[in-house]
């Protein structure tokens, strides 16, 4: 899995690509936490380019979500796909992962 990061003002955007296994999910969460600074108020994880997400990857994202919530930072998910939607449904987590439109720097969100 590869991840592209974008930082704009108070928001950090992470765009993972490829397959997210359990170790990849933990690495993504760690990389996101390592890029946070005092001014980061929101994190957007754009899942639109993932080809596969394991249940371990989902668990890692849930741990990240708890950590961010404890720090009073917003976590937003952008762009789902069949590769993401199906494992979330199987895990009974569709209600937790609320997807917003993709985040575009300098323009905010759009459809």
């Amino acid at each position: 899995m590869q991840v592209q990061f974008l930082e704009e003002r108070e928001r950090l955007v992470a765009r993972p690509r490829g397959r997210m296994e359990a170790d990849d999910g933990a690495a993504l969460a760690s990389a996101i936490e390592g890029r946070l600074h005092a001014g980061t108020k929101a994190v957007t994880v754009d899942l639109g380019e993932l080809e596969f997400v394991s249940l371990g990857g989902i668990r890692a994202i849930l741990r990240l979500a708890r950590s961010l919530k404890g720090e009073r930072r917003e976590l937003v998910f952008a762009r789902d796909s069949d590769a993401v939607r199906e494992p979330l449904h199987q895990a009974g987590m569709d209600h937790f992962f609320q997807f917003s439109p993709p985040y575009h720097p300098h323009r905010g969100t759009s459809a």
Side-chain angles (χ1 to χ4, degrees):
M1 182 185 77
Q2 297 176 343
V3 183
Q4 175 188 16
F5 287 96
L6 252 141
E7 292 185 45
E8 186 174 88
R9 296 188 186 105
E10 299 174 341
R11 179 174 301 276
L12 173 66
V13 179
R15 289 191 176 110
R17 272 178 252 184
R19 298 177 57 86
M20 183 188 293
E21 302 288 348
D23 290 344
D24 299 317
L28 173 65
S30 179
I32 288 172
E33 289 174 337
R35 290 178 174 267
L36 297 176
H37 53 80
T40 306
K41 294 185 180 176
V43 174
T44 296
V45 180
D46 183 339
L47 301 173
E49 294 185 37
L50 283 178
E51 299 165 5
F52 172 81
V53 179
S54 73
L55 292 178
I58 292 169
R59 280 193 297 274
I61 292 173
L62 290 172
R63 284 190 295 274
L64 171 67
R66 272 185 294 221
S67 172
L68 292 174
K69 184 177 180 181
E71 297 171 2
R72 298 181 184 256
R73 299 178 202 254
E74 176 187 28
L75 177 61
V76 174
F77 298 98
R79 295 194 312 154
D80 65 342
S81 66
D82 288 339
V84 172
R85 203 173 309 120
E86 185 57 30
L88 291 177
H89 178 69
Q90 289 177 355
M93 300 305 297
D94 342 48
H95 65 281
F96 177 79
F97 288 80
Q98 299 296 316
F99 289 90
S100 67
Y103 179 77
H104 296 287
H106 308 293
R107 295 187 312 208
T109 57
S110 71

